[in-house]
């Protein structure tokens, strides 16, 4: 009996799911081999950077969606402040390098109705989907069937967004506003870090007032530092801050094209960047490279510790929320110039005002999304 | 769920490799922001011409 007691209370040893660890490593190796055969070591580095991000996000359970929800419902600010740590680390490299060196640029975007509407819709979607751009990638990689549905509809919504974006841009707006353009590279960096410190202080004050915790957990701090450093690496290799959702748009555009849809009259797909992305190999798009790496990295990390994808499918209402949330996220990300990564992390880390405006609008959307969650059997907490 | 994942993964990998092998891929990886006139990560133009 004592033996039974001892074996029952002893922690279970991690079980490696060799099939899926092997599949993730094999798929990553195939992609790296293909880009190296084309003589593109930088592309291989972006895949590996994405792989590292997938591992880091999964191990730290770094979730923007849950952090925003905890802040809005309970006042807990630790997760959000951990997210700001990522941005601060990234800004240390992005603001000065983008201002001083040719071939590097920050994540910029025009400020207008398109940004506000897109970010707000994205905010609603991320609470229904239970994940943002990066969250969808690492949870898909982590073995969540629900998030496979989210990803599929994220891609579809993103294509719809690509068709809508020109009309929303026509509503007007102003050109991007970059701190470094007004204050120089170092002044711009100081202003960016000061804005981050101010927002962190406000969040901490709100948390204290609501009697909630404001300190990021140790895991979030370590995860935030690792993710921040990897963001810098992706920036140095790719020339622009890490972005996620343009990859989804490209995948969707290619899938729809293969199904016979003609984008030759669609304005978005005639702009030079999207036009080239639609015709060229998916492995020449920087965001697709990191996206693929992130999925496989999270898959390897998840399968290294337990039997992979062993959970049952969630209820229909939850899958419906995943689909609707994915559509809203995809559409909103295209209209609002990105997700938490491309618009918020990348924008603020570049000293671009649109990043903070995106954050404010998305936060409002999150409030709506949290209220809608119970309709789909999802907790508000 | 595991079977679904394996099928999705194989289909995705075949699609990626197939797209790569049948599409131009001579240059370095780029972002839409690398192109002239781009004003956003998706390559959208600026509202006011610079």
């Amino acid at each position: 009996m004592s033996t039974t007691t001892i074996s029952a209370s002893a922690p279970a040893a991690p079980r490696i799911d060799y099939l899926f660890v092997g599949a993730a490593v094999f798929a990553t190796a195939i992609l790296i081999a293909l880009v190296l055969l084309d003589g593109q070591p930088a592309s291989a580095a972006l895949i590996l950077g994405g792989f590292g991000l997938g591992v880091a996000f999964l191990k730290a359970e770094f979730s923007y969606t849950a952090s925003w929800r905890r802040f809005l419902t309970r006042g807990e600010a630790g997760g959000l402040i951990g997210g700001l740590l990522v941005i601060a680390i990234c800004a240390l490299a992005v603001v000065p390098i983008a201002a001083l060196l040719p071939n590097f640029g920050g994540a910029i975007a025009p400020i207008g109705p398109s940004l506000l509407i897109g970010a707000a819709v994205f905010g609603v979607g991320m609470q229904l989907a239970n994940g943002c751009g990066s969250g969808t990638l690492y949870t898909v990689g982590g073995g969540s069937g629900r998030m496979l549905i989210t990803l599929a509809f994220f891609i579809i919504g993103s294509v719809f967004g690509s068709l809508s974006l020109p009309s929303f841009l026509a509503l007007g707006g102003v050109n991007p506003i970059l701190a470094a353009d007004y204050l120089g590279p170092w002044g711009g960096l100081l202003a960016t870090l000061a804005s981050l410190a101010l927002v962190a202080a406000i969040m901490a004050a709100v948390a204290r007032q609501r009697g909630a915790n404001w300190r990021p957990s140790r895991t979030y701090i370590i995860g935030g530092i690792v993710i921040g450093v990897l963001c810098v690496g992706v920036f140095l290799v790719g020339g622009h801050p890490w972005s996620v959702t343009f990859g989804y748009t490209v995948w969707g555009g290619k899938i729809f094209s293969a199904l016979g849809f003609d984008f030759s009259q669609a304005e978005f797909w005639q702009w030079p960047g999207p036009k080239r992305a639609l015709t060229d190999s998916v492995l020449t798009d920087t965001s697709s490279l990191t996206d693929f790496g992130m999925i496989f990295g999270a898959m390897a990390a998840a399968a290294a510790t337990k039997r992979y994808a062993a959970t049952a499918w969630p209820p229909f209402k939850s899958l419906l929320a995943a689909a609707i949330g994915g559509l809203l996220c995809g559409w909103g990300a295209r209209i609002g110039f990105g997700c938490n990564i491309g618009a918020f992390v990348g924008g603020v880390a570049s000293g671009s005002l649109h990043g903070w405006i995106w954050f404010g609008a998305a936060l409002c959307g999150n409030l709506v999304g949290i209220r809608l969650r119970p309709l789909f059997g999802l907790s508000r907490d | 769920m595991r079977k679904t994942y394996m099928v999705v993964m194989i289909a995705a990998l075949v699609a990626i490799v197939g797209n790569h092998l049948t599409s131009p891929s001579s240059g370095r990886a780029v972002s839409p922001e690398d192109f002239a006139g781009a004003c956003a990560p998706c390559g959208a133009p600026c509202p006011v011409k610079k």
Side-chain angles (χ1 to χ4, degrees):
Chain A
M1 186 169 174
S2 60
T3 307
T4 308
T5 310
I6 290 167
S7 60
S9 60
R15 178 180 167 174
I16 300 178
D17 192 331
Y18 289 103
L19 176 64
F20 279 91
V21 170
V25 172
F26 174 74
T28 307
I30 290 277
L31 300 190
I32 288 175
L34 286 174
V35 295
L36 287 178
L37 282 171
D38 274 352
Q40 302 300 329
S43 298
L46 286 174
I47 294 171
L48 287 174
F51 193 95
L53 284 163
V55 174
F57 265 85
L58 188 103
K59 299 306 279 184
E61 294 183 23
F62 209 90
S63 167
Y64 284 95
T65 304
S67 298
W68 289 40
R69 190 164 65 246
R70 286 186 199 122
F71 178 70
L72 292 170
T73 57
R74 298 187 225 156
E76 290 177 11
L80 271 177
I81 291 175
L84 298 183
L85 176 65
V86 172
I87 302 177
I89 292 169
C90 204
L92 291 173
V94 176
V95 176
I97 291 176
L100 291 169
L101 297 181
N103 301 324
F104 285 94
I108 58 170
I111 297 167
S114 187
L115 175 68
L116 290 168
I117 295 167
V121 170
F122 184 89
V124 178
M126 69 188 258
Q127 288 303 335
L128 295 180
N130 227 12
C132 55
S134 57
T136 298
L137 286 177
Y138 91 81
T139 48
V140 162
S144 164
R146 183 184 189 278
M147 297 309 284
L148 273 179
I149 304 294
T150 296
L151 178 60
F153 282 88
F154 207 135
I155 291 169
I156 294 168
S158 185
V159 174
F160 289 154
S162 74
L163 303 177
S164 313
L165 179 58
S167 311
F168 281 82
L169 284 177
L171 297 174
V174 297
N175 285 355
I177 297 172
L178 269 174
D181 286 348
Y182 295 89
L183 305 168
W186 303 111
L189 175 60
L190 276 178
T192 301
L193 295 177
S195 69
L196 286 163
L198 176 65
V199 172
I202 292 170
M203 286 173 181
V206 169
R208 277 198 295 264
Q209 197 174 27
R210 294 180 64 177
N213 183 29
W214 63 271
R215 288 186 171 87
S217 66
R218 187 169 169 271
T219 309
Y220 249 63
I221 293 173
I222 295 170
I225 291 170
V226 172
I227 292 167
V229 170
L230 286 168
C231 281
V232 171
V234 167
F235 167 71
L236 293 176
V237 175
H240 293 280
W242 174 34
S243 71
V244 171
T245 58
F246 184 73
Y248 296 175
T249 312
V250 174
W251 306 347
K254 286 179 178 291
I255 292 168
F256 275 78
S257 293
L259 293 174
F261 287 83
D262 178 15
F263 290 116
S264 62
Q265 301 303 314
E267 186 179 341
F268 176 93
W269 294 102
Q270 300 313 308
W271 296 334
K275 187 174 185 177
R276 172 169 163 163
L278 189 61
T279 53
D280 279 14
S281 161
V282 71
L283 297 181
T284 61
D285 169 49
T286 53
S287 58
S288 292
L289 292 169
T290 46
D291 287 356
F292 293 142
M294 197 168 172
I295 291 174
F296 296 137
M299 180 179 282
T305 54
K306 63 180 181 187
R307 186 172 161 78
Y308 185 76
T311 53
W313 286 94
F316 174 76
K317 280 207 296 189
S318 177
L319 294 178
L320 184 62
I324 295 171
L327 272 179
L328 294 175
C329 280
W331 189 85
R334 211 54 303 124
I335 301 299
F337 308 113
C339 62
N340 291 62
I341 300 301
F344 179 43
V345 174
V348 174
S350 304
S352 175
L353 183 60
H354 91 278
W356 284 122
I357 294 173
W358 188 96
F359 173 69
L363 208 59
C364 296
N366 270 261
L367 278 171
V368 177
I370 289 168
R371 285 181 181 276
L372 294 175
R373 282 172 62 91
L375 295 176
F376 300 94
L378 303 173
S379 156
R380 277 195 182 182
D381 290 334
Chain B
M1 185 93 78
R2 288 169 62 82
K3 282 182 185 165
T4 306
Y5 253 91
M6 197 42 87
V7 169
V8 169
M9 183 159 176
I10 291 170
L13 197 57
V14 167
I16 295 166
V17 173
N19 176 261
H20 180 72
L21 296 178
T22 57
S23 308
S25 60
S26 51
R28 70 176 179 90
V30 291
S31 154
E33 293 162 289
D34 289 322
F35 294 85
C39 211
C42 64
C46 289
V48 182
K49 288 268 190 306
K50 287 180 179 173

